[in-house]
Amino acid sequence: AKVVGIADGTACVECEDGIDWSELLRLFHEVLPLSEIDASKLSANAKVYLVDTLEGANMRNTMHNRVKADAFIPAGGRPATINDSNWDKFLEDGVPSSKLIVEGANLFLTPKAREQLHSVAGCTIVKDSSANKCGVICSSYEIISSMLLSKKEFLQIKESFVPQVLEKLRLLAEREAKLMFREYKQNPRALPDISTDISAAINRTTDALHVALSKDNISEDKFEELFPILQDFLPAKIVETSWNDIREKVPPTYIRNLLATILAGELVYREGVEYVNHISDQSLSVMAIEYLDQRRSVDSLKRKITTGEELSPTETKTLVSLLEHGGARTAIEFGGIENVPL
């Protein structure tokens, strides 16, 4: 892969041969802007436009319309940069400068611009709510870490903590992507519409769980059963250093809200949008808690199978029944039993 165009607040750099990776990494590690790029590291075809002139600023602001690439990833910029009145500038003779847009920056495209680029130019667009979801999740890790750790304590574990956060984020991003394309396979439509449906399903389930997990609606014993879910969500280093401090340092309301969000994502990512949409508002909160209980039972069976532990006759019948009722549908979702990941 190569980067053929990149922009920041100071400049943009364009090169159809690809911009030197080592030079881009140098700027990153030294926390330098693009205006400090070493031109000697660029090919003869490269162009650098600084924003300290009107022409340079205009070239930077329109780079995405001009540079031809397989994918365009806006990772910053003003909201509605591509909007209802200028989306067609992304096209040349009806062909988009990039057929794939991944909105790493929130609200970079307006809804109508997404719709037009998809319907008129055939662009595949991964909406911000899916492409940038890890930004929100990372913020939640930052918040809970700031509650549990002093600056000194954080710096002591930073070297191992950050890779663990990245590992969690990659896993969560993969779940979002897999659900998005699974939903597309079942009901082909524009990906931004699917992203909106996923967000709506998670938000609706989260709202239901906020009610279900309130002190008035769940016993302390039941809440204690759910509490370890938070442990699985957190990076291992935080659990190792601060798990015993959570109840003292993190407000109970924050914990309950975080648990609701975690449980909602678990349900929607595993079972899909339509599964949740077919459950009434009145039943959703109760069902979500029950779902978790059943997941534990399934995980127990899975653990015994993977470790080679002998199943009881009842467990064997349960496993056969589960395969009979859901096995074929699951195989179809993976594109055939031969494609089920092992």
Side-chain angles (χ1 to χ4, degrees):
K2 60 184 180 181
V3 176
V4 293
I6 188 169
D8 70 1
T10 67
C12 74
V13 183
E14 305 171 16
C15 182
E16 63 182 11
D17 301 324
I19 302 167
D20 185 80
W21 274 111
S22 61
E23 179 60 8
L24 290 177
L25 288 171
R26 180 188 73 83
L27 295 177
F28 173 78
H29 289 300
E30 295 180 17
V31 196
L32 294 172
L34 280 173
S35 58
E36 297 296 323
I37 198 165
D38 183 351
S40 68
K41 299 292 181 65
L42 303 176
S43 76
N45 295 326
K47 297 181 178 65
V48 179
Y49 300 101
L50 303 179
V51 301
D52 56 2
T53 68
L54 185 61
E55 179 188 7
N58 181 63
M59 295 299 282
R60 189 277 310 272
N61 293 342
T62 57
M63 185 195 72
H64 57 279
N65 295 332
R66 187 172 56 255
V67 173
K68 303 295 188 293
D70 295 323
F72 169 47
I73 307 174
R78 292 192 177 98
T81 295
I82 300 179
N83 55 53
D84 303 9
S85 60
N86 69 7
W87 63 267
D88 57 326
K89 299 292 191 289
F90 196 70
L91 313 179
E92 182 178 350
D93 298 325
V95 178
S97 60
S98 300
K99 291 285 287 185
L100 171 65
I101 303 174
V102 182
E103 285 188 90
N106 286 333
L107 307 174
F108 193 84
L109 286 80
T110 62
K112 183 177 179 181
R114 292 190 196 104
E115 179 185 346
Q116 292 294 94
L117 287 171
H118 171 72
S119 60
V120 174
C123 286
T124 297
I125 301 172
V126 181
K127 188 177 177 293
D128 49 8
S129 59
S130 287
N132 196 24
K133 185 161 286 185
C134 283
V136 177
I137 299 168
C138 189
S139 294
S140 72
Y141 284 135
E142 291 174 358
I143 292 168
I144 199 166
S145 298
S146 69
M147 294 178 186
L148 292 169
L149 301 168
S150 66
K151 182 177 180 179
K152 181 180 178 181
E153 290 169 332
F154 171 74
L155 291 175
Q156 288 173 342
I157 69 168
K158 180 180 177 181
E159 187 174 344
S160 56
F161 175 70
V162 171
Q164 290 176 358
V165 170
L166 292 173
E167 183 181 354
K168 292 280 187 183
L169 295 178
R170 290 187 185 102
L171 175 62
L172 293 164
E174 182 181 16
R175 296 180 79 182
E176 176 84 12
K178 284 183 174 179
L179 176 58
M180 184 166 58
F181 290 110
R182 197 167 82 227
E183 291 288 329
Y184 178 84
K185 182 178 179 181
Q186 293 172 356
N187 180 18
R189 57 202 190 278
L191 292 183
D193 294 341
I194 296 175
S195 294
T196 299
D197 292 343
I198 292 172
S199 295
I202 291 176
N203 290 339
R204 177 171 169 259
T205 307
T206 301
D207 290 344
L209 283 164
H210 280 156
V211 175
L213 295 177
S214 68
K215 285 186 174 182
D216 295 335
N217 293 321
I218 190 171
S219 68
E220 283 301 315
D221 289 343
K222 188 63 179 179
F223 183 75
E224 287 300 316
E225 290 180 18
L226 300 176
F227 198 75
I229 294 169
L230 182 59
Q231 191 173 41
D232 294 335
F233 172 76
L234 294 172
K237 200 64 181 178
I238 283 285
V239 174
E240 176 188 327
T241 60
S242 307
W243 179 250
N244 293 333
D245 299 328
I246 281 185
R247 295 178 189 274
E248 177 185 347
K249 294 184 176 181
V250 181
T253 301
Y254 185 88
I255 290 175
R256 290 175 186 269
N257 289 344
L258 184 55
L259 279 172
T261 303
I262 296 168
L263 286 170
E266 177 74 10
L267 176 59
V268 175
Y269 285 132
R270 282 187 179 274
E271 304 302 333
V273 171
E274 287 305 310
Y275 179 83
V276 170
N277 287 347
H278 283 135
I279 302 170
S280 69
D281 290 341
Q282 296 91 327
S283 302
L284 185 54
S285 58
V286 175
M287 195 285 307
I289 300 295
E290 182 181 350
Y291 177 86
L292 180 66
D293 291 336
Q294 298 306 319
R295 276 297 319 167
R296 286 181 179 146
S297 298
V298 171
D299 287 343
S300 177
L301 281 174
K302 182 176 72 174
R303 185 175 61 254
K304 286 190 173 184
I305 293 168
T306 54
T307 59
E309 185 177 344
E310 186 176 351
L311 299 179
S312 70
T314 299
E315 288 171 331
T316 300
K317 289 179 181 179
T318 299
L319 179 59
V320 170
S321 183
L322 286 171
L323 288 171
E324 286 178 344
H325 284 84
R329 186 188 71 178
T330 302
I332 289 172
E333 289 180 356
F334 283 112
I337 197 167
E338 67 279 2
N339 296 319
V340 174
L342 302 177

